[in-house]
Structure formats: C-alpha cells, structure tokens
Amino acid sequence: MNKWYMVRRWITSQFQRLSGKHVITAVLAYAVISWVLLRLAGEQALTSPFVDYIYYLLVTASTVGYGDMSPTTTAGKWIVALFVIPCGLSIFAIGVGRLAGITIEYWRKGLLGRRSIDVAGHILILGWNESRTLHLIDMLLHEEKDKRPIVLCVRADIENPLPKEIDFVRTASFTDETAMSRAGVSDADCIIIDNPEDDITFAAALFCASKNPDVHILAYFQEEVLASLLKTHCPNAECIPSVSVEMMAKSAVDPGSSELHHELLNTRKGMTQYAVTYPGDAQYTTVEALFLRMKKEHDATLIGFRRDSNVRLNPPLDQEIKPNDLLFYIADERVSDFKWD
C-alpha cells in the first residue's frame, strides 16, 4: 500500500510539472487511447456516437459516475478499471488544480497590484498616506457611487486596502511607463496626486500631463514653490496647498472656523460645498435670480462662480451669470436635477 501511495504521489508530481501545452496533449492522448482501447474491446455503446463517448469519459474521470453508461464486456471492464479511471482521475485532478491555480494567481496579481486595469474614465489616485488616503477613497466612493471607478496606484509595499471596492496597481515609480500604463493613466478622467514628497508629486504631475494632456489633475503640495512651478508648465492642473497653518491662525481669530471648513468639505456630515456647470445652452441670468431659484427649489445656497480660471466668491446680486460658468453652492446633498429654465 505504501509503495502504491508513493507511485501515485510520483505520478501526480510529474503531472504538476507539465506545462499547459503538455497537459492539453496528455488530455487528448488519454481521450484517444481510451477510445481505441474501448473500441477494440467491443464497447460500441461507449464509443459511438462520439458525444456519448465524451460524456462517459467526463463523468467517469470526474468520479460523478451516474451509472447510465458502463462497460459490458470483460475486456472493457478491465480497461476502464486499470486505465480509464486511474488516468482520468489524475488528469482531471491536475486540470482542476491548474484552473484553480490560475484563478488564484489572477486574484493575487490584482491584490498585489501586478495586473493591468481594464478601465477608462476613472479616477486615478497616485500616492499612499495610510488613513488619509483611505479617508479620501471613502469620500470618493460616496460621491462617485455607480459613476467613475477608482484606481489606487502606490509605490509602497502594500496590498490592495479595499479589494472589493477599488482597483489597485503597485509601481516603483510614478514615471514608469509600463506600470502607469497598467493603471490606465492615458484613459483616466481625473488624477489625484498626493505624496509626502513634493518633488515626487511634481514629477508625477508632469508625467501624467504628458500622457494625458486633457486630464483633470489635482496635486497636493506642502510648499507653494513647486505648486507655482507646476501651474507654469501645466495651466490646467489644480494645485491643492497645505492649509493647516492658515486654518489654525483663522480659528484663533474666528473660533469654529476649522469645524466650518471641515463640514463644508465632508460629504458625510452636514452641509457640503459642491460645484455644477451652468449649461452652455442656458440663458444669461443674474446671481440674484439664480440664488433665489436654487434656494427655493433645492434648499441650496449659491456662494460663487468661476469664469476663465477666476473664482469669484460672494458676488453682487446684479452680477451676470453666463453659460459654462462653474457655480459653487452649499447643500445637504449634491443636486442632480437642477432646472435652469
């Protein structure tokens, strides 16, 4: 018994070392040899028609054994007992094992960020700042539910922190063309760059702008020098400065300011600031008319607008609003059904 067990282990180990082509060849050889042997044994019912033979072979090799088809001759029974069943079990087990291994490897590649992402029009996040990045993703998932997918690309040696909710790519550099191509940098709709090192943020922003000139780039900088330099090279990039010091100074003079700003930025708490584009085919209007309509119909407060890259907060009531102006407003939730006429 021990010798037979050792022989089975040896056969199995040899099968596991076979390449994919060799496994396919072994399966075809097994099917052909089994058919020839059963045919020579006079098992006409098992070998004809061919579809019945394939059905019998699969049922037998997988140990299902329905019993609706079985050998009737003595030679056929010996062939099935000594060749068809033992070889079929080995090949079936190897095939299932290979399939499971391929599936697990595919899943592991996604978890480790080694797989190419088949996505477009997505939000691409470059950088990893632990809880801060997780909070950023959480807010984006809340805002972009069933809209734009999210892809996280990091240099850190981590696994996908949210495998069921986002795609994940790991790279050694944010200027690596192969890795960034796997992250879909050329097809991204928005790229958020948030790194502890400003120089890496700057290089990543330039690289992304070269690969996707029309993409909306958001880059976080701790120092304003590189932020200004990036705006020189990439006018469409939106640089987000660190406002921690300014926030402390503001709260010291006007207590509660930090709480106010936090609520305006938090999509899960209280009133939040949103933006919407005034349609290009809409009629010219005024701040007063738009303010009253938004407040009355949606309980939203118009606080400003942007035109030609210039933001105007708390504009006068007689200020004209033109088509394609970007409007900023405060509301409990994003309003998706504005009626402009």
Side-chain angles (χ1 to χ4, degrees), residues 45-288:
L46 296 182
T47 57
S48 181
F50 187 70
V51 66
D52 286 349
Y53 168 67
I54 295 299
Y55 164 76
Y56 169 73
L57 205 64
L58 289 176
V59 169
T60 303
S62 62
T63 71
V64 174
Y66 290 123
D68 53 342
M69 298 180 67
S70 58
T72 57
T73 66
T74 301
K77 292 177 180 179
W78 279 109
I79 292 170
V80 171
L82 298 179
F83 180 79
V84 175
I85 293 178
C87 292
L89 287 176
S90 299
I91 292 176
F92 184 80
I94 295 302
V96 172
R98 282 295 178 89
L99 182 61
I102 292 173
T103 303
I104 292 174
E105 180 63 21
Y106 182 80
W107 176 78
R108 286 290 297 171
K109 280 186 175 181
L111 192 64
L112 297 174
R114 299 173 182 169
R115 194 174 69 213
S116 295
I117 305 301
D118 184 16
V119 68
H122 56 291
I123 297 177
L124 176 59
I125 302 174
L126 305 182
W128 175 247
N129 289 284
E130 299 180 348
S131 59
R132 175 167 137 175
T133 304
L134 290 175
H135 183 55
L136 169 64
I137 294 174
D138 179 66
M139 290 191 293
L140 289 174
L141 288 173
H142 177 73
E143 282 284 318
E144 296 290 332
K145 185 177 181 180
D146 300 325
K147 296 178 184 177
R148 292 179 292 182
I150 298 173
V151 177
L152 174 63
C153 182
V154 305
R155 296 186 305 129
D157 187 15
I158 63 170
E159 296 182 355
N160 189 342
L162 300 168
K164 295 182 180 180
E165 300 179 81
I166 65 172
D167 289 309
F168 179 70
V169 172
R170 198 166 72 189
T171 179
S173 170
F174 293 133
T175 57
D176 185 318
E177 291 206 21
T178 301
M180 296 304 291
S181 176
R182 288 195 288 113
V185 64
S186 299
D187 299 315
D189 185 60
C190 175
I191 299 178
I192 302 175
I193 309 173
D194 184 15
N195 289 275
E197 305 90 354
D198 282 357
D199 56 338
I200 293 178
T201 299
F202 181 77
L206 291 179
F207 177 84
C208 292
S210 67
K211 296 299 178 181
N212 192 343
D214 299 324
V215 71
H216 181 204
I217 296 178
L218 300 173
Y220 175 84
F221 287 98
Q222 300 184 52
E223 301 292 338
E224 293 188 9
V225 176
L226 287 179
S228 301
L229 185 59
L230 179 62
K231 290 290 291 184
T232 302
H233 293 279
C234 304
N236 294 329
E238 191 171 344
C239 300
I240 313 297
S242 173
V243 295
S244 56
V245 175
E246 291 86 346
M247 189 64 67
M248 285 190 291
K250 186 63 178 174
S251 296
V253 177
D254 298 306
S257 294
S258 62
E259 297 177 9
L260 171 64
H261 284 81
H262 178 71
E263 183 169 326
L264 288 176
L265 297 175
N266 194 336
T267 57
R268 295 183 179 274
K269 178 184 177 183
M271 293 292 169
T272 304
Q273 179 262 307
Y274 299 100
V276 63
T277 300
Y278 191 57
D281 58 352
Q283 297 180 355
Y284 282 59
T285 186
T286 63
V287 169
E288 181 179 13

